[in-house]
Amino acid sequence: MIVFDKAGNVLKKADSFSETQDRTLHVKAEEGLIVLLRLSSFIIGIMKVVIYLLCVLATVATAQTDNLNSAAALVDRQQSQDNSQIMAALTAVISKKSGLSAQTIRDQGWLDDTFKQVVLRHYYEQLPANVDYSGLWFHVVTDSSRLNQMLIDRSVPLWPPNRPELFVWLVEEQVDGSMLHAAEDSDGRYWLKKMLHNKGIAHQFYNPMDADLLQFMPEDVSFLNPDLVDKIFEDYQPDQVLLVKLRHHGSGHSYRMGLFETAESDAVIENRQFVDLPKGLDFLATSVQQKLANGERIEASKFGEFTLAVTVNNIDSAVAFLDLWQYLQNQPLIKDFQATAYQQNSLQLQLNVRVDRDAFIKVLDKEGSLQHMPLGMTHRTVFSWQP
């Protein structure tokens, strides 16, 4: 629109209404973009702080839960400390880290006096006053990196730390034939819990106060009731379920156990009679350890220092990013890592790992959070995040 003065001269050219509106909208859009960019920078800053805190917390949590470098052996209360106690406890540590039985470790002849240099400290542990046994636990705590290297030098396979968690339900049949859920302070529960822990098996015991399972009786555990197994998997979602009936009789004890990998799988059933309660339940824990570790160990030749270029797809939100970041922090085979690029829901990373590429992919596929995408790329390994 053109504006004239009284003499007919042109004073100025004014915008039309639509032009004025367009200009106003354009200015507002620019202002909105600036605000959005500032807000995005603020959010990214907050995310960095959150990620940093998660990294710290994850590192602390890993340090607190990593107990695979210490273990204990039962020793005679009257015997003074000697070399045999240290070697017995070191054998327990190697069993815990490798998933191999103490007998196998002794038969292979891997352990010698040079292993004593990895012991950082040792101590005794008293048994609870109500437990009828005269011995003591003798613990050793070892230097993780030095012990790992010594085991690798001797070609001892290692069982990765991220292991299946068991839901354990123990019932006990007394001499008079009565059958009860194992009490918190029963000898049977104490020894089974200690032996599973000493083998490096993550576990959760049945809580008799849990209302969800009150419909089931001790006999359901004894007979490995499929409905009970289904209920446990449905409500607790453990990796595997272990049902144990421990029977006490005049001449000793016996157990019947059923190990379920899934709700649909057949149980691995085992029966055994024994006289000494700790030794019998140590045998049970060793048997479970072998079943869990077989096929999962990493051969010593697979260990070393490796750098992998990795792409993780399906990172489509801040939540997915933070979850992946925490997962990588908690994965013990990853020494350290850094993100290098992000575009179109794909995060590119550089990982420094403790095993070769094939072993690394095998372990992560087993865990299920990162699914390997075999695209035939030799210079980059591609995974899909499975939230």
Side-chain angles (χ1 to χ4, degrees):
M1 180 174 67
I2 301 175
V3 180
F4 299 92
D5 62 9
K6 292 181 179 179
N9 298 315
V10 176
L11 291 176
K12 65 175 181 176
K13 290 183 178 180
D15 293 336
S16 66
F17 176 77
S18 61
E19 289 173 333
T20 303
Q21 188 179 44
D22 288 343
R23 180 176 295 176
T24 302
L25 291 174
H26 180 69
V27 171
K28 288 184 176 179
E30 288 182 341
E31 292 175 347
L33 181 59
I34 292 171
V35 172
L36 181 60
L37 289 173
R38 289 175 178 170
L39 182 60
S40 298
S41 300
F42 174 75
I43 292 173
I44 290 171
I46 293 295
M47 284 181 62
K48 287 180 178 178
V49 173
V50 172
I51 289 169
Y52 173 77
L53 290 174
L54 282 174
C55 292
V56 172
L57 290 173
T59 303
V60 172
T62 301
Q64 290 176 340
T65 58
D66 181 14
N67 56 11
L68 299 182
N69 303 304
S70 64
L74 277 173
V75 298
D76 190 334
R77 181 183 292 272
Q78 305 302 322
Q79 181 182 356
S80 59
Q81 181 188 325
D82 60 11
N83 188 64
S84 65
Q85 293 182 356
I86 295 176
M87 300 307 279
L90 280 170
T91 300
V93 175
I94 297 173
S95 173
K96 198 175 192 179
K97 293 180 75 71
S98 67
L100 297 169
S101 68
Q103 187 60 54
T104 298
I105 294 167
R106 287 191 289 266
D107 292 345
Q108 292 293 329
W110 287 317
L111 191 63
D112 55 44
D113 284 344
T114 61
F115 273 87
K116 289 193 290 186
Q117 64 185 288
V118 306
V119 177
L120 299 176
R121 63 183 183 275
H122 52 75
Y123 60 94
Y124 289 97
E125 176 192 353
Q126 297 275 359
L127 274 65
N130 61 289
V131 174
D132 184 19
Y133 194 80
S134 61
L136 295 168
W137 287 107
F138 179 75
H139 291 258
V140 293
V141 179
T142 64
D143 183 312
S144 174
S145 58
R146 294 182 68 185
L147 178 57
N148 285 346
Q149 191 57 54
M150 292 185 73
L151 295 176
I152 291 169
D153 291 343
R154 289 161 174 75
S155 298
V156 180
L158 297 179
W159 185 17
N162 288 2
R163 303 173 180 181
E165 182 173 357
L166 296 184
F167 183 99
V168 183
W169 197 330
L170 172 67
V171 298
E172 298 188 68
E173 182 178 337
Q174 305 301 326
V175 177
D176 61 6
S178 61
M179 192 181 305
L180 301 170
H181 300 302
E184 287 277 351
D185 60 350
S186 79
D187 286 11
R189 182 183 172 109
Y190 170 80
W191 288 117
L192 182 55
K193 190 176 184 69
K194 292 291 283 189
M195 297 305 179
L196 290 173
H197 176 78
N198 214 37
K199 305 297 179 185
I201 300 172
H203 58 276
Q204 169 191 0
F205 267 78
Y206 161 69
N207 180 2
M209 301 304 293
D210 194 333
D212 291 340
L213 297 173
L214 288 178
Q215 60 184 297
F216 296 101
M217 305 298 291
E219 288 76 14
D220 293 305
V221 177
S222 175
F223 294 111
L224 310 180
N225 184 345
D227 292 336
L228 170 60
V229 176
D230 289 343
K231 183 67 172 175
I232 294 173
F233 273 109
E234 178 183 351
D235 288 1
Y236 294 87
Q237 299 181 344
D239 296 306
Q240 298 194 32
V241 171
L242 176 65
L243 303 182
V244 182
K245 171 191 172 182
L246 177 62
R247 184 185 175 202
H248 307 285
H249 42 81
S251 58
H253 317 271
S254 62
Y255 69 72
R256 180 176 188 259
M257 80 166 197
L259 181 64
F260 297 82
E261 187 171 353
T262 67
E264 294 77 25
S265 64
D266 293 332
V268 177
I269 300 175
E270 183 175 286
N271 298 276
R272 186 172 181 84
Q273 292 185 339
F274 47 93
V275 175
D276 186 271
L277 185 59
K279 289 182 179 179
L281 293 182
D282 179 69
F283 189 92
L284 187 157
T286 299
S287 178
V288 172
Q289 180 194 50
Q290 305 310 295
K291 292 173 175 58
L292 297 179
N294 287 343
E296 303 300 324
R297 299 182 188 91
I298 300 176
E299 296 302 319
S301 60
K302 299 289 187 179
F303 283 89
E305 295 184 0
F306 303 88
T307 299
L308 302 179
V310 170
T311 296
V312 181
N313 297 327
N314 201 28
I315 306 301
D316 55 3
S317 67
V319 172
F321 183 86
L322 293 174
D323 287 345
L324 171 65
W325 197 272
Q326 189 170 27
Y327 172 81
L328 297 175
Q329 282 284 339
N330 285 324
Q331 170 47 253
L333 294 181
I334 299 176
K335 185 177 181 180
D336 54 63
F337 66 93
Q338 61 179 358
T340 57
Y342 176 80
Q343 58 182 353
Q344 297 179 346
N345 296 338
S346 294
L347 182 65
Q348 295 185 22
L349 302 133
Q350 179 176 297
L351 307 182
N352 293 320
V353 298
R354 296 182 169 93
V355 293
D356 67 18
R357 179 177 181 271
D358 291 341
F360 185 71
I361 290 172
K362 177 183 175 182
V363 171
L364 264 61
D365 272 346
K366 183 72 175 179
E367 291 178 352
S369 294
L370 285 173
Q371 181 182 2
H372 179 232
M373 311 294 289
L375 303 179
M377 302 170 64
T378 56
H379 65 287
R380 181 164 290 277
T381 306
V382 181
F383 294 95
S384 177
W385 177 245
Q386 305 295 312

